[in-house]
């Protein structure tokens, strides 16, 4: 059943992309944001996917702050997180940032647990910046979190990410990389590390000047795959109100996940 769901979702991505292209070609082009150098930027450069927020090919001129709230149903219980992810361009072409979350676990059987996640850090660098953009990057989790919520593990990854902007301002994005996870529940005297592939992609469609539609598929190491969609609405003050839903396709992903966040940029304009 899990395999069938995965294949159906994977097959949906190219079909949805083609459909979105056809619809977007009939729409008025989204407004653009110009820079003193480099290619013209569109409003979609400020829109990021939910699940590959780090493994993306875009930059924030200033400091992007994004409080995040998620709720997930894992079949055997629920997980609620409340946290902050942030990043900014520190030198030309290089963005660095991180994330930290409060986690609350509510299992169907037994007592619940609460604690802090590990501290996630990342960096990504622009190696090609035209209509098709390529970034290389990496990230790691510092094991400062609580073991009670499955944290206190040292994980790391390297990746490449790309974005291609069509003439109608729709964006096709993708990423590929390698992830290494420390497995906290591994038996004694066994290898507690799982290495696997990072693979993701999707579309960002400018339905209107203010409203972006997000569709994405995210696959990670240790049996994690999720298919998601959502909206990104630009407010008058420049902030982005974001809401989305994800459907788990493999064992470690939640069966259902709800995402809500608000992104704002301090000291610059997104690109």
């Amino acid at each position: 059943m899990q395999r069938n769901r995965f294949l159906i979702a994977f097959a949906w991505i190219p079909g949805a992309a083609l459909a979105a292209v056809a619809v977007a070609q009939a729409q008025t082009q989204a407004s653009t944001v110009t820079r003193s150098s480099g290619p013209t930027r569109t409003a979609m450069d400020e829109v990021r996917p939910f699940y590959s927020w780090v493994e993306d090919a875009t930059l924030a001129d200033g400091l992007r702050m994004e409080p995040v709230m998620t709720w997930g149903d894992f079949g055997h219980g629920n997980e609620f997180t409340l946290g902050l992810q942030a990043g900014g361009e520190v030198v030309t072409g290089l963005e660095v940032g991180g994330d930290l979350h409060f986690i609350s676990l509510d299992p169907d059987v037994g007592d619940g647990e609460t604690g802090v996640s590990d501290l996630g850090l990342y960096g990504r660098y622009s190696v090609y910046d035209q209509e098709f953009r390529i970034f290389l990057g990496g990230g790691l989790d510092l094991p400062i979190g609580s073991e009670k919520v499955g944290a206190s593990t040292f994980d790391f990854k390297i990746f490449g990410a790309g974005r291609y902007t069509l003439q109608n301002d729709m964006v096709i994005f993708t990423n590929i990389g390698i992830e290494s996870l420390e497995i906290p529940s591994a038996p004694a005297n066994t290898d507690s590390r799982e290495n696997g592939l990072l693979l993701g992609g999707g579309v960002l469609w400018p339905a209107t000047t203010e409203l972006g539609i997000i569709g994405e598929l995210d696959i990670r190491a240790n049996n994690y795959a999720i298919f998601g969609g959502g909206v990104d609405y630009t407010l008058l003050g420049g902030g982005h109100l974001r809401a989305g839903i994800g459907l788990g396709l493999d064992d470690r992903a939640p069966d259902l996940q709800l995402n809500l966040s608000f992104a704002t940029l301090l000291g610059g304009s997104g690109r």
Side-chain angles (χ1 to χ4, degrees), residues 218-241:
D218 189 52
I219 304 170
R220 298 179 181 269
N222 192 28
N223 302 320
Y224 182 98
I226 194 165
F227 173 68
V231 296
D232 182 301
Y233 186 79
T234 305
L235 304 175
L236 290 177
H240 289 252
L241 183 61

Side-chain angles (χ1 to χ4, degrees), residues 43-124:
M44 288 295 98
D45 288 299
E46 297 188 23
V47 178
R48 300 191 179 187
F50 290 97
Y51 298 104
S52 53
W53 196 90
V54 170
E55 301 89 6
D56 196 9
T58 191
L59 294 169
D61 282 341
L63 176 62
R64 181 184 174 111
M65 306 286 288
E66 188 168 344
V68 179
M69 181 175 64
T70 69
W71 175 88
D73 179 10
F74 285 83
H76 53 75
N78 301 324
E79 177 182 291
F80 173 80
T81 73
L82 182 63
L84 176 69
Q85 53 194 22
E89 187 179 15
V90 293
V91 297
T92 302
L94 174 64
E95 179 175 309
V96 298
D99 66 275
L100 187 67
H101 302 265
F102 170 81
I103 302 174
S104 176
L105 302 179
D106 183 19
D108 293 337
V109 179
D111 297 330
E113 299 285 358
T114 60
V116 177
S117 73
D118 294 328
L119 175 63
L121 301 173
Y122 76 90
R124 59 178 179 234

Side-chain angles (χ1 to χ4, degrees), residues 150-212:
S152 193
T153 62
F154 179 72
D155 306 328
F156 58 91
K157 60 190 170 186
I158 57 173
F159 60 87
R163 282 191 178 211
Y164 181 72
T165 302
L166 303 177
Q167 291 184 350
N168 52 36
D169 291 339
M170 191 182 82
V171 174
I172 299 174
F173 66 91
T174 185
N175 64 78
I176 187 170
I178 298 174
E179 184 175 42
S180 181
L181 304 178
E182 185 179 350
I183 309 302
S185 59
N189 302 319
T190 63
D191 187 359
S192 64
R193 188 159 291 279
E194 176 82 14
N195 301 314
L197 185 68
L198 288 173
L199 183 63
V203 295
L204 307 174
W205 173 46
T208 69
T209 303
E210 296 83 13
L211 181 64

Side-chain angles (χ1 to χ4, degrees), residues 23 32 37 39 50 65 109 111 141 213 234 258 260:
V23 174
T32 60
S37 63
F50 290 97
M65 306 286 288
V109 179
D111 297 330
D141 291 342
I213 307 297
T234 305
L258 305 179
L260 182 64

